[in-house]
């Protein structure tokens, strides 16, 4: 479905260019739930933006459903079937939730159909269908409404950039349930940028990016134990030094 071949990305720096991603090659197959994780600053969000068309690689090619989309715009990629959900969902003063869902679906959804999408993300439809997508909504509410628009679009690839960012624990727990339902019911593939263990736990595949390169990639059962083992070792080391190096 999605293939990146030797993709690199740089940004201007004080002395020349700063390399963010280097020679990334990655394939996401049909009907897969893939989580991309790794340390902060490793290039995870940049990878998501390259796939969505927000950024463009300095080298390499990107293919989606056997078509070269490297030079396509965000809109053109969206029309090809790629959805992108931001860390901080956009607010639209004066636009009601029902209107946003209709724009996403590209058709005149009935109230009943729109309410179904809201119900799938755990929102009481009658309380939200006529709400404005503005500052009156919490971060967790906006996240779920954004996911509802992704469901309404019915795209072949849905990319989420750190969906847990800026939401409270209760909203995060509900978000996990939404992703679990999406994993079972969505016809396309899902790619999530995250380092939350609960999201990693529901992945089919995990990709680890550090220092601009893929360092690990494979099934959850193979990759997750090594990540948790690394985390445990780091925690033990930190505890040792907090205690003054005493054993």
């Amino acid at each position: 479905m999605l293939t990146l071949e030797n993709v690199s990305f740089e940004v201007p720096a004080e002395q020349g260019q700063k390399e963010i991603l280097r020679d990334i090659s990655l394939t996401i197959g049909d009907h897969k739930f893939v989580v991309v994780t790794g340390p902060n600053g490793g290039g995870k969000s940049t990878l998501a933006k390259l796939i969505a068309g927000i950024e463009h690689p300095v080298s390499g090619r990107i293919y989606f459903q056997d078509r070269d989309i490297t030079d396509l715009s965000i809109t053109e990629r969206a029309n090809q079937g790629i959805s992108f959900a931001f860390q901080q969902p956009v607010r639209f003063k004066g636009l009601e939730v029902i209107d946003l869902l209709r724009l996403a679906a590209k058709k005149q959804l009935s109230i009943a159909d729109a309410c179904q999408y809201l119900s799938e993300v755990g929102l009481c439809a009658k309380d939200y269908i006529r709400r404005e997508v503005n500052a009156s909504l919490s971060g967790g509410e906006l996240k779920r409404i954004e996911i509802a628009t992704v469901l309404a679009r019915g795209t072949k690839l849905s990319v989420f950039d750190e969906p847990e960012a800026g939401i409270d624990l209760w909203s995060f727990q509900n978000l996990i349930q939404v992703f679990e339902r999406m994993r079972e019911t969505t016809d396309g593939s899902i790619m999530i940028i995250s380092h939350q263990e609960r999201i990693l736990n529901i992945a089919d595949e995990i990709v680890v990016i550090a220092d601009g390169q893929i360092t690990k990639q494979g099934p959850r059962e193979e990759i997750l134990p090594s990540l948790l083992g690394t985390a445990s070792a780091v925690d033990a080391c930190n505890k040792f030094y907090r205690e003054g190096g005493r054993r």
Side-chain angles (χ1 to χ4, degrees):
M1 170 184 282
L2 176 77
T3 301
L4 283 73
E5 291 185 353
N6 308 113
V7 169
S8 296
F9 180 75
E10 299 174 345
V11 295
E14 290 184 4
Q15 298 180 345
Q17 297 289 107
K18 180 181 179 181
E19 191 174 56
I20 305 299
L21 291 174
R22 181 169 66 260
D23 201 30
I24 294 285
S25 292
L26 172 67
T27 296
I28 295 177
D30 292 326
H31 312 295
K32 293 293 185 180
F33 189 114
V34 178
V35 178
V36 179
T37 191
N40 292 332
K44 303 184 302 296
S45 291
T46 298
L47 175 66
K49 291 174 182 177
L50 286 169
I51 292 170
I54 298 170
E55 302 285 3
H56 296 276
V58 296
S59 63
R61 310 303 297 177
I62 302 174
Y63 300 90
F64 182 62
Q65 294 184 309
D66 298 321
R67 177 181 179 182
D68 188 340
I69 63 169
T70 310
D71 300 319
L72 297 187
S73 67
I74 299 172
T75 301
E76 290 170 324
R77 294 188 198 201
N79 290 335
Q80 290 296 311
I82 297 176
S83 293
F84 181 81
F86 293 88
Q87 284 187 29
Q88 300 297 329
V90 180
R91 300 173 190 268
F92 301 94
K93 186 177 180 180
L95 186 71
E96 293 182 346
V97 171
I98 178 67
D99 299 320
L100 188 61
L101 288 168
R102 285 170 173 167
L103 286 170
K106 294 185 177 181
K107 61 183 179 181
Q108 191 68 14
L109 287 177
S110 68
I111 294 292
D113 287 338
C115 287
Q116 179 60 37
Y117 290 122
L118 292 176
S119 297
E120 286 185 37
V121 297
L123 294 177
C124 179
K126 66 182 180 64
D127 292 337
Y128 288 92
I129 198 71
R130 291 297 181 186
R131 291 277 298 275
E132 283 192 22
V133 189
N134 59 19
S136 69
L137 294 168
S138 71
E141 290 169 330
L142 279 169
K143 293 277 186 180
R144 284 191 275 175
I145 289 169
E146 185 176 49
I147 295 172
T149 65
V150 171
L151 294 175
R153 289 200 65 214
T155 49
K156 289 297 182 182
L157 176 64
S158 302
V159 181
F160 297 87
D161 187 9
E162 297 195 28
E164 69 273 11
I167 63 173
D168 56 63
L169 180 60
W170 184 88
S171 296
F172 176 67
Q173 291 171 340
N174 281 274
L175 199 63
I176 295 297
Q177 294 174 2
V178 170
F179 284 133
E180 287 176 332
R181 287 196 293 270
M182 283 188 70
R183 185 177 185 272
E184 298 300 324
T185 62
T186 300
D187 186 41
S189 293
I190 300 167
M191 173 181 162
I192 299 180
I193 308 298
S194 179
H195 27 58
Q196 289 291 333
E197 184 180 341
R198 289 192 61 187
I199 293 179
L200 291 166
N201 266 319
I202 58 175
D204 295 318
E205 298 177 5
I206 295 174
V207 178
V208 182
I209 293 182
D211 297 323
Q213 291 187 301
I214 293 176
T215 58
K216 294 181 181 180
Q217 179 181 356
R220 177 189 69 242
E221 296 82 3
E222 176 185 322
I223 302 299
L224 187 56
S226 66
L227 294 180
L228 297 179
T230 300
S232 297
V234 170
D235 289 342
C237 186
N238 288 338
K239 181 180 179 182
F240 174 74
Y241 283 109
R242 283 198 304 271
E243 295 172 351
R246 297 185 301 273
R247 292 189 180 275

